Amino acid sequence: MSVRILPGTRGGVGESVRRVDGVPKVKGAFQFASDLWAEGMLWGYTLRSPHPHARIRAVEISAALTDPGVHAVLLAADVPGKKTYGLEFSDQPVLAWDRVRYAGEPVAVLAAADLETARRATERIRVDYDVLPAVTDMGEALRPDAPRVHDFGNVLRHIRIEHGDPGAPADVWVEGYYETGMQDQASLGPEAGLAIPADDGGVDLYVATQWLHVDRMQIAPCLNLPEEKVRLYLAGVGGAFGAREDVSMQVHACLLALRTRRPVKMVYSREESFYGHVHRHPSRIWMRHGARRDGTLVNVYARILMDGGAYASSSAAVIGNASTFATGPYEVPNALIEGTCVYTNNPPCGAMRGFGAVQVCFAYEAQMDKLARALGMDPVEIRLKNALGTGSVLPTGQVITGSAPVREVIRRCAAIPLPEEPAASRGGDPCSYPGGAGNVSRGEGLRRGMGFAIGFKNIAYSEGFDDSAEVRVKLFAGPAGPVAEVHSAAAEVGQGIHTVLTQIVRTGLGVEHVLLHPPDTQVGSAGSTSASRQTMMSGGAAQLACAVVREELCARVRRRAEAEGRALRGEITLEGGAVLAGNAPVGRVEEFLEMPIECVRTYHHRRTQPLDARGQGDVHVALAFAAQRAVVEVDEELGLVRVVQVATAQDVGRAINPQNVAGQIEGGTAQGLGLALMEEIQLQDGQIRNASFTDYLIPTILDMPPVISVLVEEPEPGVPFGAKGVGEPSTVVSTAAIVAALRDATGRELNRVPVRPDDLIGLSPPVASPGPPPSPDVPGPEPIPKRAGLAAGQADLMRGD
Amino acid sequence: MEVLLPRTLEEALEIKAARPEAVPIAGGTDLMVELNFDRRRPALMVDVSRLPELREWRRENGTVFLGAGVTFTRIIRELPEFVPLVQASRTVGSPQIRNRGTVGGNLGTASPAGDALPVLAAYDAEIVLAAAGGRRRALPWHQFLVGPKRHAAAPDELILGARWGIVRGPGSFSKVGPRNAMVIAVASLCLVMDEGARAFRVALGSVGPTILRAPEAEAFAVRALADAGAWDDPRASLSPPALQEFGERVAAAARPIDDVRGTAAYRRHACAVLARRALAWAFEDRRSTSRSS
Ligand SMILES: Cc1cc2nc3c(=O)[nH]c(=O)nc-3n(C[C@H](O)[C@H](O)[C@H](O)COP(=O)(O)OP(=O)(O)OC[C@H]3O[C@@H](n4cnc5c(N)ncnc54)[C@H](O)[C@@H]3O)c2cc1C
């Protein structure tokens, strides 16, 4: 029996519905995690290591405890359960014992009556450190005599992908070396949460996170509590971008709450936030591209080195992405790709929007431009010539079965009109020149440049992960008609999943009034709000659940008709709260809802495989593509930049909410622009030198150009509505596109991002290649994945769900 | 922490006399950052933001007095004829910061990156200080700014404001930073052309321990203009090589360092470019005002 939903329901799929959280956020009424408050609550504070590598000889806490405002000071010995946690490998101490491995690592936590008391008391904790030699350079980390960050060695993961004949000859070769700096997610909301001890010995934690259930999976064993006694609720999230995938203050706040039997709130300051979450991996990338004279790619050699910092976080998956995407969205018959992620005594790196795909895109797109120049080809033409499509084979041997409108995004992007050439004098407004509000130009030394880049990104988790999502949908009679309630643990981090869920439920049930149950762990895992996956995964679960609810409603309609001896003719349809059979009204929806209809469904994406020893496997679920063209103006004397326009076409499968998609593209572009021009955590001997928004610069509105976006809608088969995720592809490509435009404007090599003014005026030379590092696949320490195996991380996850 | 809220200048000065450790707070846009970062924990603060004497500005026979409590937003609105000062004020932070931040606070912080400071230096301003009992003194800007984040006011004094002689002639302020707004200067420059005194004054920010002037370059420009007979000819300019040399001489006055915001080499280079442009703009602006008047 089928039920058709007529397209009459307002606010459904495909409409630019206003965000459900939009008005409160604009008005400042939205409660973020840092606004949490409870009667009698204490404030937690963290003591962090000042050293990148040291042995802890002793910790003396008595002086901190003398203040009557201090309620507890906890050390590693006070952790009642497991002493470590981690997303993929449990290698990160809740509180360091014995050794600290990065500057900023938590050593003690303290709870006090107020934040100031907590801060001051923390200063009175005395830690006796025996400073050890540190390894803070990713290249050095591979040397056999380098200090070991962990006893098993410094190789976090090594991947080798052999494809076709890596010795295949080519007519033309281009070579390049590229570096990317450590970027910060720079969410405006710092890490924050409130833990409240419960009467059953458990704890309720309100926290800003990306994935409630994976937090709980890591928290509960540390607290030595069963998972059902650790209940998580999503607090208002002020941005995430990957930084909230890892646990930060979660375990600490719970430990303090359980110890003091008082609610404990923790909020990081901006400075602490730089130490308290993972960053984007800095990278060093060597590439060699070989092509035939006609521009056809023949062979690619890529060697990628990434700095994972002191703990694993999601590094194994990041280097997996970087390696499998190293050749870009191009058909490459032969390739040898080696990716290595190392441990160092730098702050840990992990997830950030683009997740490994950003760094390699910067490299492979520079290579494609080099190749085009060597062959005298147009940059757009060479990309069209080699573009992937459905049926193409990736270096991992994976055959693309889904939609892959790569040529379409290239063509549509290239067709967007260029910005007009500006008038010589721009009405005297300095903001229309590079340097902006600084008033440094009246148009002197201006050069325009244009750059083009394409890139791609996987949707959802790869390499055999089953990151399923559960949703509960309930349809009941409200005072003013039928109401649908949707309960999902999916974290709204600003990207719009809550709005998307209400749209999907409206379309699924033909009911306009949709309520969102606050996200918590009382419903099953939604998986992470990352990897551009929530619309596909939680959206998919909502769609499945709605279908079941609809079937039940329909069955009730038929049962009642039978009981009343009426025959229903035609298909049963729901429209604007009414039930129709054929064209005949049968009644209002709520008349069939004396008992609510409720259904829980879980959506699984198609199965993928781990990489085998030769780097082969069907590893990615689905791929999304984007093309961007950037136009920049460079003040060639001062090395300052104004990005004039970004034009982009993005493969979105299907836009559930076009305005929201445009918003994601603009935000993602801003983050890519930041990496291109200014964003870098500057490290010196493992210490962050710019842990503040004074010196870690992110783009302002005066740095952002207008973004003209075209959505290419070629539905992905087998996924709900054919919708692909849209959060990341723009970030993947915009750094590459902007730097390509800078190269065009200046004629300089610019092989490192962020590009500095010095680089643009030739005051500093391009970074020199130290040469590809030795492949660590030689006798020596076993990389972690060989010891534990990605599958081990997966097993943990499955158990956790 | 104690915070006192005096209503008059005299009350405030008496507080400072009795308790010189009291830290003045005006807009708080520097001080509150220090407190938040836990770099300072003053036991006593005295709020000077409501003192009427500090919030005024006025002309007095050929000079202008700018009260320490005048905000950057007010400067932009109320003092449009002081072009470099307005340009500098526009580059400060964001609208919120300009609404709170004051010239007195900029002087009190005495950072080499304070954007109002190169302008005051190029105006050859003096800083007016006040102490209880009607004691007043004025220090030339270079005696007031004595080092990075160090100034010469005594512990019992408050900054009353700045005073300088009104100059006839064009001028500009520019600031370089790796972001197009809301950025701390990597290098900044103020140039003032004093047609009455036939002088140039150039001041540099963020390229030394404190604000620097470039006397050599100033003298060079004066000479070059005299040689070209251009002081009396509002349409005259200097040749590109002369502009170039001026830039290089200004850069030679810089004493920059490498830090997290930029390299010394870039800072010095930027000084040369900004100086060359500022001088060219001065001639451009002189030409256009002479045409319009
Ligand atoms: C986001 C942000 C952006 C910024 N951007 C810029 C910028 O672009 N350019 C720039 O120059 N600055 C910038 N600043 C710094 C700051 O805004 C300026 O230095 C401003 O001029 C400080 O003025 P205030 O009134 O807020 O000073 P306060 O913070 O109140 O005081 C600063 C110092 O001056 C002392 N003080 C204040 N008034 C007196 C007085 N009457 N007598 C004696 N001492 C006094 C105080 O004790 C304190 O030491 C920025 C700050 C922030 C937070």
Side-chain angles (χ1 to χ4, degrees):
Chain A
M1 188 191 315
S2 74
V3 185
R4 202 156 52 84
I5 306 290
L6 295 183
T9 314
R10 280 183 301 150
V13 166
E15 277 183 52
S16 287
V17 174
R18 277 213 194 148
R19 295 181 59 112
V20 293
D21 50 349
V23 170
K25 279 182 176 165
V26 169
K27 286 190 169 173
F30 186 83
Q31 286 238 336
F32 288 99
S34 47
D35 300 322
L36 291 164
W37 185 88
E39 190 69 42
M41 100 191 164
L42 302 174
W43 289 77
Y45 197 70
T46 314
L47 177 71
R48 295 174 183 276
S49 162
H51 305 294
H53 199 190
R55 197 162 289 288
I56 299 176
R57 280 210 214 94
V59 185
E60 180 48 57
I61 61 170
S62 51
L65 282 167
T66 54
D67 188 319
V70 174
H71 291 248
V73 181
L74 304 181
L75 302 173
D78 301 304
V79 178
K82 207 168 142 212
K83 307 278 183 195
T84 59
Y85 65 89
L87 277 172
E88 288 169 4
F89 312 108
S90 185
D91 66 350
Q92 188 152 1
V94 173
L95 292 167
W97 72 92
D98 182 37
R99 253 160 99 185
V100 287
R101 294 183 177 84
Y102 72 97
E105 181 163 355
V107 175
V109 286
L110 179 150
D114 60 76
L115 184 56
E116 199 47 37
T117 305
R119 245 158 56 160
R120 292 184 185 210
T122 304
E123 286 173 12
R124 292 199 290 272
I125 301 173
R126 288 278 155 265
V127 186
D128 182 8
Y129 291 106
D130 179 11
V131 176
L132 299 172
V135 56
T136 56
D137 176 275
M138 61 180 115
E140 295 287 309
L142 279 171
R143 294 169 59 117
D145 56 345
R148 288 194 167 195
V149 181
H150 294 272
D151 294 337
F152 49 79
N154 294 340
V155 179
L156 205 158
R157 190 180 185 192
H158 179 70
I159 292 171
R160 184 181 165 91
I161 299 172
E162 292 172 36
H163 175 54
D165 170 15
D171 298 335
V172 181
W173 290 95
V174 293
E175 220 179 297
Y177 170 66
Y178 307 92
E179 284 186 9
T180 62
M182 185 186 278
Q183 190 179 15
D184 189 63
Q185 297 84 351
S187 307
L188 293 188
E191 289 70 14
L194 174 68
I196 304 178
D199 291 338
D200 66 352
V203 62
D204 291 281
L205 176 66
Y206 298 81
V207 67
T209 179
Q210 288 178 248
W211 186 356
L212 291 165
H213 289 74
V214 87
D215 281 6
R216 180 169 73 168
M217 192 199 92
Q218 295 169 87
I219 298 165
C222 300
L223 304 179
N224 202 19
L225 285 174
E227 284 193 358
E228 60 277 12
K229 288 202 172 178
V230 180
R231 293 160 294 256
L232 269 68
Y233 309 83
L234 187 71
V237 184
F241 313 111
R244 292 184 213 272
E245 280 197 18
D246 293 76
V247 161
S248 58
M249 43 56 65
Q250 285 89 329
V251 186
H252 299 157
C254 291
L255 286 172
L256 290 168
L258 289 168
R259 171 62 71 97
T260 60
R261 306 302 306 161
R262 299 266 290 266
V264 173
K265 173 173 174 170
M266 291 185 85
V267 183
Y268 288 176
S269 68
R270 175 56 53 194
E271 182 183 14
E272 192 176 13
S273 181
F274 276 96
Y275 294 101
H277 64 243
V278 298
H279 311 291
R280 189 192 296 291
H281 291 74
S283 68
R284 295 178 188 168
I285 303 173
W286 294 257
M287 282 191 182
R288 210 168 161 241
H289 278 59
R292 287 210 295 266
R293 292 233 177 278
D294 68 356
T296 310
L297 281 172
V298 179
N299 199 346
V300 173
Y301 168 75
R303 189 77 181 80
I304 305 153
L305 182 59
M306 285 184 158
D307 185 348
Y311 295 104
S313 178
S314 49
S315 281
V318 171
I319 190 69
N321 260 11
S323 305
T324 56
F325 295 138
T327 53
Y330 303 110
E331 293 230 14
V332 177
N334 309 292
L336 177 60
I337 301 159
E338 289 197 78
T340 310
C341 188
V342 292
Y343 282 112
T344 64
N345 293 114
N346 286 326
C349 290
M352 182 173 172
R353 198 177 201 170
F355 204 79
V358 170
Q359 294 92 329
V360 287
C361 182
F362 171 63
Y364 63 68
E365 284 302 86
Q367 287 287 99
M368 292 305 282
D369 282 344
K370 270 193 184 177
L371 202 54
R373 213 170 317 118
L375 292 162
M377 279 178 86
D378 177 74
V380 173
E381 189 195 335
I382 195 166
R383 288 174 168 83
L384 278 172
K385 184 166 192 86
N386 291 288
L388 289 175
T390 305
S392 295
V393 181
L394 298 168
T396 50
Q398 176 168 355
V399 179
I400 299 181
T401 53
S403 83
V406 186
R407 290 195 171 81
E408 185 73 4
V409 297
I410 296 173
R411 286 204 190 96
R412 298 279 299 275
C413 177
I416 296 170
L418 280 164
E420 279 174 27
E421 286 293 330
S425 127
R426 301 180 186 175
D429 178 10
C431 291
S432 62
Y433 297 110
N439 187 45
V440 297
S441 179
R442 291 185 181 176
E444 295 91 341
L446 276 193
R447 275 177 177 269
R448 242 177 209 229
M450 184 174 85
F452 201 87
I454 67 174
F456 65 155
K457 173 73 186 39
N458 50 333
I459 310 296
Y461 284 24
S462 298
E463 296 191 63
F465 268 72
D466 179 19
D467 47 321
S468 61
E470 180 175 305
V471 163
R472 185 174 61 77
V473 171
K474 180 172 156 187
L475 185 63
F476 61 96
V483 179
E485 185 191 70
V486 52
H487 189 181
S488 153
E492 168 67 67
V493 300
Q495 89 287 21
I497 184 61
H498 281 172
T499 309
V500 161
L501 286 176
T502 59
Q503 290 180 262
I504 289 175
V505 171
R506 283 198 193 104
T507 294
L509 295 177
V511 164
E512 275 176 30
H513 191 177
V514 180
L515 295 178
L516 280 164
H517 188 288
D520 56 27
T521 47
Q522 285 161 33
V523 64
S525 172
S528 181
T529 293
S530 60
S532 301
R533 61 179 286 290
Q534 274 310 11
T535 295
M536 180 169 98
M537 302 302 300
S538 291
Q543 193 192 31
L544 289 177
C546 285
V548 176
V549 169
R550 228 159 51 205
E551 293 303 315
E552 169 58 20
L553 183 76
C554 187
R556 287 184 185 181
V557 171
R558 293 200 181 268
R559 276 201 300 272
R560 178 168 314 166
E562 262 163 43
E564 292 170 356
R566 286 187 290 121
L568 293 180
R569 224 162 284 133
E571 213 180 357
I572 296 179
T573 52
L574 309 177
E575 185 186 356
V579 183
L580 309 173
N583 287 332
V586 182
R588 308 283 312 161
V589 169
E590 59 268 36
E591 289 168 31
F592 301 91
L593 295 172
E594 313 84 32
M595 292 281 287
I597 306 174
E598 191 168 335
C599 166
V600 178
R601 277 294 176 276
T602 305
Y603 182 82
H604 298 266
H605 57 64
R606 71 177 189 87
R607 275 277 172 195
T608 59
Q609 302 166 339
L611 286 171
D612 69 15
R614 290 186 51 247
Q616 299 296 296
D618 184 11
V619 292
H620 296 306
V621 176
L623 301 167
F625 302 86
Q628 277 202 9
R629 185 192 66 205
V631 174
V632 301
E633 255 173 16
V634 179
D635 180 329
E636 64 168 350
E637 293 180 320
L638 288 172
L640 302 178
V641 176
R642 181 174 81 105
V643 181
V644 177
Q645 184 203 60
V646 166
T648 179
Q650 187 164 316
D651 155 40
V652 303
R654 166 96 193 270
I656 306 277
N657 184 323
Q659 187 183 48
N660 225 346
V661 173
Q664 285 294 300
I665 291 175
E666 287 175 18
T669 300
Q671 242 158 351
L673 183 149
L675 179 60
L677 295 174
M678 60 188 87
E679 291 190 41
E680 181 173 14
I681 293 183
Q682 299 186 42
L683 287 165
Q684 191 170 35
D685 303 326
Q687 306 280 356
I688 300 179
R689 299 168 71 206
N690 55 339
S692 74
F693 279 172
T694 309
D695 287 318
Y696 183 90
L697 300 183
I698 56 177
T700 68
I701 195 72
L702 277 186
D703 298 281
M704 264 305 278
V707 176
I708 300 168
S709 47
V710 170
L711 309 185
V712 174
E713 296 188 276
E714 191 176 294
E716 174 76 7
V719 314
F721 306 102
K724 297 184 178 185
V726 299
E728 294 171 289
S730 57
T731 301
V732 172
V733 289
S734 67
T735 306
I738 289 165
V739 178
L742 295 174
R743 288 190 195 103
D744 185 45
T746 61
R748 296 186 192 278
E749 190 172 337
L750 310 180
N751 60 345
R752 184 182 197 284
V753 284
V755 173
R756 301 274 162 194
D758 303 55
D759 307 327
L760 288 168
I761 57 176
L763 268 184
S764 53
V767 287
S769 163
S775 167
D777 231 359
V778 286
E782 289 241 297
I784 284 207
K786 287 201 184 151
R787 297 179 339 125
L790 265 180
Q794 171 74 345
D796 266 6
L797 276 177
M798 300 304 278
R799 198 181 39 69
D801 274 353
Chain B
M1 182 194 297
E2 224 181 323
V3 182
L4 300 178
L5 309 175
R7 276 155 308 205
T8 65
L9 178 62
E10 215 34 55
E11 244 177 58
L13 293 173
E14 272 156 27
I15 292 169
K16 280 296 269 178
R19 302 177 67 181
E21 77 281 7
V23 176
I25 177 164
T29 59
D30 275 323
L31 201 57
M32 291 312 294
V33 174
E34 295 276 292
L35 261 58
N36 283 338
F37 274 128
D38 207 15
R39 291 192 197 120
R40 277 177 89 166
R41 290 177 183 174
L44 173 62
M45 299 213 289
V46 48
D47 178 22
V48 297
S49 70
R50 49 195 84 198
L51 307 182
E53 295 88 339
L54 263 56
R55 300 178 54 155
E56 59 183 32
W57 67 272
R58 59 182 177 274
R59 288 170 214 275
E60 341 173 287
N61 38 29
T63 69
V64 61
F65 171 81
L66 179 63
V70 178
T71 63
F72 296 110
T73 298
R74 282 186 57 207
I75 291 176
I76 296 168
R77 211 182 297 136
E78 299 172 28
L79 288 92
E81 65 271 42
F82 299 92
V83 173
L85 185 63
V86 168
Q87 287 173 339
S89 302
R90 276 220 184 92
T91 75
V92 173
S94 58
Q96 296 92 325
I97 298 298
R98 295 194 286 271
N99 286 343
R100 295 286 308 167
T102 63
V103 173
N106 218 238
L107 283 163
T109 297
S111 158
D115 286 328
L117 307 184
V119 180
L120 297 179
Y123 282 151
D124 250 340
E126 49 184 27
I127 313 306
V128 184
L129 304 172
R135 279 185 293 137
R136 301 287 183 269
R137 64 174 178 143
L139 287 178
W141 68 271
H142 50 92
Q143 284 177 24
F144 176 80
L145 298 172
V146 291
K149 303 212 166 179
R150 289 197 350 256
H151 60 69
D156 66 343
E157 285 177 320
L158 283 177
I159 302 165
L160 205 56
R163 182 178 14 229
W164 64 89
I166 297 173
V167 174
R168 182 172 57 82
S172 63
F173 173 87
S174 314
K175 147 168 137 184
V176 172
R179 177 161 79 179
N180 287 340
M182 273 271 284
V183 71
I184 296 183
V186 163
S188 64
L189 177 142
C190 180
L191 177 141
V192 170
M193 179 174 184
D194 184 342
E195 298 195 51
R198 300 206 161 180
F200 282 97
R201 291 193 293 273
V202 182
L204 302 171
S206 272
V207 293
T210 182
I211 306 301
L212 302 170
R213 283 272 294 272
E216 268 252 357
E218 293 171 3
F220 167 81
V222 170
R223 246 187 350 262
L225 218 60
D227 292 349
W231 280 110
D232 300 311
D233 175 7
R235 279 159 310 157
S237 181
L238 284 182
S239 65
L243 290 173
Q244 183 79 22
E245 181 164 356
F246 174 71
E248 280 157 21
R249 285 175 188 246
V250 168
R255 284 154 55 202
I257 54 164
D258 287 326
D259 68 13
V260 75
R261 293 172 194 152
T263 61
Y266 177 76
R267 288 185 153 110
R268 191 180 291 286
H269 167 85
C271 287
V273 177
L274 292 181
R276 176 155 40 81
R277 290 184 184 177
L279 189 54
W281 297 346
F283 296 131
E284 221 173 277
D285 294 346
R286 196 161 76 125
R287 270 198 301 280
S288 63
T289 43
S290 77
R291 219 178 302 129
S292 60
S293 56

